[in-house]
Amino acid sequence: MKVSFCLLDINSETKAGKTELWLWGIDDHEERVLVIDRSFVDYFYAVVADGYDPTEVKAKIMEIPNTLAVNAEIVSRKFFGKPVQAIKVYCENVGNTAKLLRSLEGVKDVLEDDIRISMHYIVDNDLVPCSWHQVEVQEEKNELGVRADRIYIAQAPPKAFEKPDFPQLRILSFSMACYSREGSPKPDRNPVVIISTITDKGEEKQLIAGEDRNDKLLLEHFIKHVQDYDPDIIVGFGTNALDWSYLVERCRILKMKLGLDRVQAEPHTSVYGHVSLTGIASLDLEDFMNQFPEVKVETLENLADHLILTKLKKPVIIEDVDFADYWDNQQRRLELTAFSMNRARSIKGISDLVLDLALQLSILVGLPLDYVMTAAVGFRVEWFMIRQAQKIGEMVPKRTEQHYRSYAGGLVLNPRPGLHEKIAVLDFKSMYPSIMLAYNLSPDTYIGPEEEVPVGGVYEAPEVKHRFRKKPPGFYKEILTYLLGTRNAIRDKMKEITKTSVEYRVMDARQKAVKIITNAAYGYAGWTGARWYSKPVAEAASAWGRHTILTAIKLAEKAGLQVIYGDTDSLFTTYDPKKIPELEKKIEKELGLEVELDKVYDHVFFTEAKKRYAGLLPDGTIDIVGLEVIRGDWAEVAKKVQEHTLEIVLKNNSPEKAAAYVRTMIQKLKQRDVPLRDLIIWKTLTKPPREYAIKAPHVEAAKMLSAKGWKLTVGDKVGYVVLTGEGRLYSRVKPYVFARLEEVDIDYYISKQVVPAAARILEFWGITEEKLLPNEKTNKPSKNLMEFMQPQT
DNA sequence: GCGGAGGGAGTACCG
DNA sequence: ACCGGTACTCCCTCCGCG
């Protein structure tokens, strides 16, 4: 019989020395199915050395005792574009056999022994995660005790096919709270006191520990609840780093097993730091944070707030530290449980918004849903490439960390400081991908300095002089042609569809997924960890990029436009509605790359610094780029003042008014009329505190947190405030959770945060830091004299 | 012993 | 665990200073 199913998860199981592939999915009757394929044997390639007869090499391989090689076949493949003969060796234990063959005479290289069997299976059979497949099967009785409505044995590998609808997924979102009076909770001593869950249908369920904080029953109920609801996807926040390992450990201590997946096994750590649940896609919303760089302190509450899930009322935030206090108070315990439930609701709300993109990334890249979300962008690009490589018979290079050599990147112009009117921003569309495509940049088209110019000729990069054959199209070109073509096609189709339709939403997500991979291709090429790393490719791309923008500047100036600023692929010029379209055409004609008029600023302000400016758009919104306002490591109070300063300057063209506003704010600060939270400075811990070469404020604050039992890891953000006192800054900081408003050094916030941020803008009009600070005895007379002598004011 | 200059460490941004 | 280019703050060392 034939069944159709949507593939959601895949794992491999070894039964009696034989590896099976288990495909988990939903069939077209909404039944949960497990399709087992026992016919796939994993493999690797043994590349035949020059001058050896493949038939003999193959025979030799088969003769080796204990190779475990079940079969071998001679195949023609490509490696970096060059045709090679290889022996495809099928065997049960790829790792050992590949090792044996590495030193065999006649074998030049061993490849793809580092690709996991489930990925070989997906790639070779062209399976598409989160998509429909048809497969010839025989039904088998569920004697394995797995949680599935049907179990099938595949008679042949499944085949992907197009089907527009998507099955109704069961999704469970959850959040947990632990009781600890000793800092970060530890599973060997601190119980889980609340788990809040909510399903995709909005059904809420809370599991709460008993008065004695005994969590055995709670955990049993949680496991049972998951088993009963049988979700296809489980969503949490911080689950990979925290929740899953905590729950597993906690269960072990209570002599239980956290068997909530579809084979009643424990969650297990997998690649990319992902924690995997067999048969269920486990998603961690923390992995989505890089989608929202605007959210600087990456908490669930901040993300929910950013996505306006909480527009009705700002929820009360209860810090982890205070959980124990809340729990121990009858009345406040209700607040804690409500808070926990709200977290679960936020998780559901956010996943409703981001799941489309996650699914499309999984479909495009070909990694199962849970993996694709945890994988860093470099690995997403790589899996997409591996998939394409298979299609054209290209073998996958090994991952060998290459020696790092830096190279020159994009060109940044010095801005013309001051306030400008009517400024156009021209952007090259997908500049690096377009360049790589236009000049056929690829590791396999690169012609080394010693090599002859091939028939058909070469493109030679400016400055760096790297050469690339014009024909045939290289691997990167194939990929970028597909990506850029697909994105354009999707965007064209989207124009014909109602914006509120489901179809539009799906296409928008697909378009975003394609964009993510396209934009990362250049960075991938220059990443020493990449399988298809090629410094010449990345270096040539940026060289052509510099050439491109330099040419564009010349053309703009020739057209009579003044260039105010430019960075990598953008140009800021005076706006002339007649000249701009002509310039666009001229640039496209001369360079073969598309430019577009991205926006026109009514007013735009530059300091002398690159990469920092603010512009007013016709609709009244203000773009702020690079300045303190958009930085996460400045106190909110300074950012607010700078933002308002910019608004006054850009909208009213009135620096004096802005200065007056700043002075008012300083007065307010002096009264300590400011919430403590506006004084917090957040900085990331980029290494373990011990390893810092110098003393730094955020590191000292981190040490104080650790001393109180906080578990801090690299990548965590530390929030601290500056206190009054003597000496270096690092000696008078305190984590904000321990601090009171009365102890903070308000003068620090005035002189080192608010005033510099405001003066950054106002200095252009001669309003210096000194002029913003109220006149006091602390002001040195000499400075006032200097001020007096400055001519421009 | 102290203050300031200048280089270095550290972080976060832009495209 | 994607690239290079850039701004900026605070730390730290060193130098001058009879």
Side-chain angles (χ1 to χ4, degrees), chain A residues 277-322:
Chain A
L277 304 197
T278 305
I280 302 174
S282 163
L283 304 189
D284 185 346
L285 289 190
E286 228 174 12
D287 295 337
F288 289 76
M289 288 305 312
N290 52 16
Q291 276 304 123
F292 306 99
E294 312 91 301
V295 182
K296 306 292 174 185
V297 182
E298 295 125 332
T299 63
L300 174 61
E301 286 74 18
N302 287 350
L303 179 57
D305 195 36
H306 173 72
L307 297 172
I308 326 185
L309 287 174
T310 51
K311 65 179 155 196
L312 291 180
K313 55 172 186 177
K314 283 242 174 190
V316 187
I317 294 172
I318 305 177
E319 302 283 346
D320 302 26
V321 231
D322 301 323

Side-chain angles (χ1 to χ4, degrees), chain A residues 685-699:
Chain A
L685 212 54
T686 59
K687 48 185 140 181
R690 298 258 156 261
E691 288 176 23
Y692 279 82
I694 58 171
K695 299 242 181 195
H698 72 295
V699 181

Side-chain angles (χ1 to χ4, degrees), chain A residues 603-657:
Chain A
H603 296 275
V604 61
F605 173 78
F606 282 95
T607 66
E608 294 197 342
K610 297 168 173 179
K611 296 184 184 281
R612 312 187 121 213
Y613 58 88
L616 173 67
L617 289 163
D619 67 358
T621 59
I622 294 177
D623 279 344
I624 300 176
V625 180
L627 292 161
E628 283 72 9
V629 176
I630 50 100
R631 289 185 66 98
D633 56 351
W634 281 72
E636 200 58 40
V637 66
K639 304 205 290 179
K640 280 179 183 164
V641 170
Q642 192 188 52
E643 188 171 18
H644 198 204
T645 303
L646 282 166
E647 197 176 333
I648 298 173
V649 165
L650 288 168
K651 288 189 173 167
N652 307 333
N653 197 0
S654 171
E656 275 310 329
K657 210 167 151 187

